[in-house]
Amino acid sequence: MTDLRIGVIGYGMRGTIARTAHRPGRGAVVAAVADPDPRAREAAAAAFPGALVSADHRKVIEAPDLDAVLVLTPDHTHADLACAALLAGKPAFVEKPLDITVERCDEILQTARETGTRLYVGHNMRHMPVVRMMRDLIGRGAIGTVKTVWVRHFVGYGGDWYFKDWHAERQYTTGLLLQKAAHDIDVLHWLSGGYTRDVQAMGDLMVYGDNPHRRAPGEPKTEDWYTEDGHWPPHTQRALNPVIDIEDVSLLNMRLDNGVLASYQQCHFTPDYWRNYTVIGDAGRLENFGDGPGGQVKVWNSRRSEYRAEPDETYDIPKPEDDQGHAGADPLIIDEFLRFVRDGGVTDTSPVAARMAVAAGYQATASLRAGGTPREVPRLDPDLVAYFERGQRHVAD
């Protein structure tokens, strides 16, 4: 099998995806990288010997010998870059979220349909073992028909990852109910079998809003911007982004189009970093304790009772064969993307679902900033939905 030649636009924090995709002799090789940051270009040149490295993304998009492009840039740039790649006939992997507004997400989907170029979105949590396990249990009827889902998101390292660079600014993210929660909204939709129709949210900038320790505008992040065991409690954080105007504690209520009621909570005060899903059906409940290897999914479904710590069924979350990147999800999502580039067809990730996660997060953020006023999530053109459900094939194909 000849290696696919991959181009990369953006070699920052998600450069890990590019390194995962670089498999010389095993299906793919990163052949070109573009990034405006000279430090990123230096790192890319070292990681991918012989690759074209440029400051200009057009060098990647216009390169005639590339088979696909990874768009790994800041969120607000996704639509422009993805559409350019699609118009150039290059299958595109777009890191989540798809973009930061509903309109720009729809523009990407419409461009993919009009050009017929393959579009893939990096919602890697669909490949996390804990998510697959919960979905399999639901599919087997372990808790009956899903009726409600509660998600608690404990973001212990949020001060490092989201408040020391562009993530902290609305103009680049809309907010963390879109940027961060898009993962969980997508998983919630996948587990529930529906998409959010109505949202109502509340939140505030409670953790980092009054922290005066900001970098000067234009000053780069410090070398110790992230440490595994430092920067605790949150008020000890230093060298935060000069501008912080997004919320760091939020509560979201959702009604899905299939009647499921759901909630999502995100908190950056917490010392631990993990997600807890509680899924309740008409014949039981399941819940994960830990979201990686060593954790468990527990099911209560045999009888009524008072509180009981011991469930009816316990399932250990398995360790993936390759545990690099999001509990092994990153290698699996690249596996699927490369297969999709070669062969097309339906994928476990979904551009439609990616758009719906952004739409829910966008409207939730609007609700939060309007004092909790309920908002309706805009529907997607049914013809677009049908196109992607067919595996991105036109009816005449």
Side-chain angles (χ1 to χ4, degrees), residues 255-301:
R255 184 188 299 275
L256 276 57
D257 54 16
N258 59 0
V260 170
L261 293 175
S263 69
Y264 170 84
Q265 303 173 23
Q266 182 183 131
C267 180
H268 292 249
F269 275 122
T270 176
D272 47 342
Y273 198 177
W274 65 294
R275 295 166 162 93
N276 170 260
Y277 291 86
T278 299
V279 186
I280 303 173
D282 58 9
R285 170 171 73 88
L286 67 78
E287 185 173 355
N288 68 295
F289 294 84
D291 52 17
Q296 295 180 321
V297 175
K298 299 183 178 182
V299 179
W300 289 263
N301 62 1

Side-chain angles (χ1 to χ4, degrees), residues 1-331:
M1 180 173 60
T2 303
D3 286 342
L4 293 173
R5 292 175 59 81
I6 306 297
V8 177
I9 304 176
Y11 194 64
M13 292 300 300
R14 288 303 274 157
T16 53
I17 285 287
R19 294 191 293 275
T20 299
H22 187 57
R23 309 169 176 183
R26 295 183 294 119
V29 60
V30 170
V33 181
D35 196 295
D37 186 343
R39 294 169 299 179
R41 294 198 299 274
E42 182 180 357
F48 313 114
L52 167 70
V53 178
S54 173
D56 188 350
H57 68 271
R58 290 170 295 187
K59 297 287 188 181
V60 172
I61 290 173
E62 296 171 3
D65 60 344
L66 296 180
D67 299 299
V69 170
L70 307 178
V71 178
L72 309 178
T73 53
D75 303 348
H76 69 291
T77 67
H78 286 178
D80 286 342
L81 296 171
C83 288
L86 294 168
L87 288 166
K90 290 183 170 60
F93 175 113
V94 183
E95 174 62 355
K96 58 69 48 189
L98 186 56
D99 201 88
I100 68 170
T101 70
V102 182
E103 292 77 14
R104 300 241 62 193
C105 289
D106 289 354
E107 182 182 347
I108 297 172
L109 298 189
Q110 290 161 0
T111 301
R113 181 179 63 175
E114 290 167 3
T115 61
T117 310
R118 292 169 181 166
L119 170 66
Y120 189 92
V121 186
H123 271 283
N124 52 9
M125 280 190 66
R126 290 194 175 209
H127 288 273
M128 285 180 65
V130 64
V131 172
R132 310 286 284 205
M133 175 177 286
M134 290 188 293
R135 181 170 162 82
D136 288 346
L137 287 167
I138 292 167
R140 299 202 317 251
I143 59 171
T145 302
V146 174
K147 294 298 181 181
T148 190
V149 183
W150 306 332
V151 182
R152 297 184 300 163
H153 195 174
F154 308 105
V155 193
Y157 294 111
D160 299 282
W161 296 110
Y162 302 102
F163 291 89
K164 292 182 177 175
D165 61 11
W166 57 269
H167 292 84
E169 301 186 43
R170 297 182 183 189
Q171 64 176 322
Y172 303 127
T173 64
T174 294
L176 290 179
L177 269 181
L178 190 162
Q179 204 289 326
K180 182 69 170 158
H183 266 316
D184 297 279
I185 294 172
D186 178 60
V187 170
L188 188 155
H189 287 164
W190 207 38
L191 297 180
S192 302
Y195 292 126
T196 299
R197 187 184 70 192
D198 302 292
V199 296
Q200 182 276 326
M202 299 184 71
D204 208 343
L205 178 53
M206 301 173 66
V207 186
Y208 299 107
D210 61 358
N211 187 320
H213 299 287
R214 314 286 178 91
R215 302 191 315 278
E219 181 183 353
K221 290 195 291 188
T222 61
E223 291 296 327
D224 67 340
W225 67 272
Y226 169 76
T227 61
E228 186 70 29
D229 55 0
H231 303 155
W232 176 258
H235 70 261
T236 66
Q237 286 281 8
R238 298 293 184 267
L240 296 171
N241 199 61
V243 175
I244 297 178
D245 61 3
I246 59 170
E247 297 78 13
D248 48 32
V249 174
S250 54
L251 313 170
L252 167 60
N253 294 316
M254 293 163 273
R255 184 188 299 275
L256 276 57
D257 54 16
N258 59 0
V260 170
L261 293 175
S263 69
Y264 170 84
Q265 303 173 23
Q266 182 183 131
C267 180
H268 292 249
F269 275 122
T270 176
D272 47 342
Y273 198 177
W274 65 294
R275 295 166 162 93
N276 170 260
Y277 291 86
T278 299
V279 186
I280 303 173
D282 58 9
R285 170 171 73 88
L286 67 78
E287 185 173 355
N288 68 295
F289 294 84
D291 52 17
Q296 295 180 321
V297 175
K298 299 183 178 182
V299 179
W300 289 263
N301 62 1
S302 69
R303 59 187 173 87
R304 296 193 304 180
S305 70
E306 301 295 327
Y307 168 76
R308 52 190 170 102
E310 292 303 316
D312 297 297
E313 303 169 15
T314 300
Y315 300 89
D316 293 330
I317 299 171
K319 183 177 180 179
E321 292 183 13
D322 184 345
D323 61 359
Q324 297 300 307
H326 294 87
D330 284 358

Side-chain angles (χ1 to χ4, degrees), residues 333-396:
I333 203 170
I334 287 297
D335 288 347
E336 184 173 66
F337 174 65
L338 297 177
R339 188 273 300 166
F340 177 62
V341 171
R342 291 183 185 278
D343 304 325
V346 177
T347 58
D348 281 337
T349 66
S350 160
V352 169
R355 182 271 190 189
M356 294 306 297
V358 168
Y362 186 88
Q363 291 299 91
T365 304
S367 170
L368 183 158
R369 293 174 183 163
T373 305
R375 297 293 179 110
E376 184 175 350
V377 176
R379 306 296 195 272
L380 183 59
D381 178 354
D383 289 339
L384 271 177
V385 174
Y387 172 74
F388 286 99
E389 286 183 346
R390 290 193 298 268
Q392 304 185 40
R393 295 171 62 90
H394 292 285
V395 174

